[in-house]
Amino acid sequence: MSNSTLTRMHLSEAVFNEVGLSRYESSQLVESVLNHISNALIRNEVVKISSFGTFSTRNKRPRIGRNPKTGTEAEISGRRVITFRPSQLMKDRVNVGNK
């Protein structure tokens, strides 16, 4: 299992190498895409990226949690969370890469 992390810089560099935009334009393109995705999720929209997956938000209800160290109960407030569901193609590609 790899310990490396894909960062914005890596994405920008990949756009620079594969598309041929300048490094600045590549960075701006990556930022723009990420901002569009973020803003859509803030507006509670579903983001579907073909052959990659679907990002969406859902509401979690408040619940009672327990401190594992002390056993003390505490209320965990309700909140919105982001979910990601990979496409079947992405699942297949990841599984092939694990062999």
Side-chain angles (χ1 to χ4, degrees), residues 26-50:
S26 298
S27 174
Q28 292 301 307
L29 177 64
V30 169
E31 288 300 318
S32 178
V33 169
L34 294 175
N35 282 334
H36 282 307
I37 292 171
S38 298
N39 291 336
L41 292 170
I42 289 168
R43 292 188 303 268
N44 210 29
E45 296 175 0
V46 174
V47 177
K48 290 184 181 184
I49 302 174
S50 179

Side-chain angles (χ1 to χ4, degrees), residues 71-90:
T72 307
E73 290 185 349
E75 182 174 335
I76 299 171
S77 61
R79 60 196 186 279
R80 273 178 55 194
V81 295
I82 298 171
T83 61
F84 174 72
R85 186 167 189 272
S87 70
Q88 188 60 49
L89 180 62
M90 178 58 70

Side-chain angles (χ1 to χ4, degrees), residues 10-68:
H10 292 119
L11 292 172
S12 295
E13 193 67 23
V15 171
F16 169 74
N17 290 329
E18 293 179 26
V19 178
L21 296 175
S22 71
R23 280 193 164 85
Y24 176 77
E25 291 170 328
S26 298
S27 174
Q28 292 301 307
L29 177 64
V30 169
E31 288 300 318
S32 178
V33 169
L34 294 175
N35 282 334
H36 282 307
I37 292 171
S38 298
N39 291 336
L41 292 170
I42 289 168
R43 292 188 303 268
N44 210 29
E45 296 175 0
V46 174
V47 177
K48 290 184 181 184
I49 302 174
S50 179
S51 71
F52 185 75
T54 303
F55 294 92
S56 61
T57 59
R58 69 181 183 92
N59 294 319
K60 291 188 87 172
R61 297 180 301 169
R63 61 188 173 90
I64 301 296
R66 192 175 313 266
N67 182 330

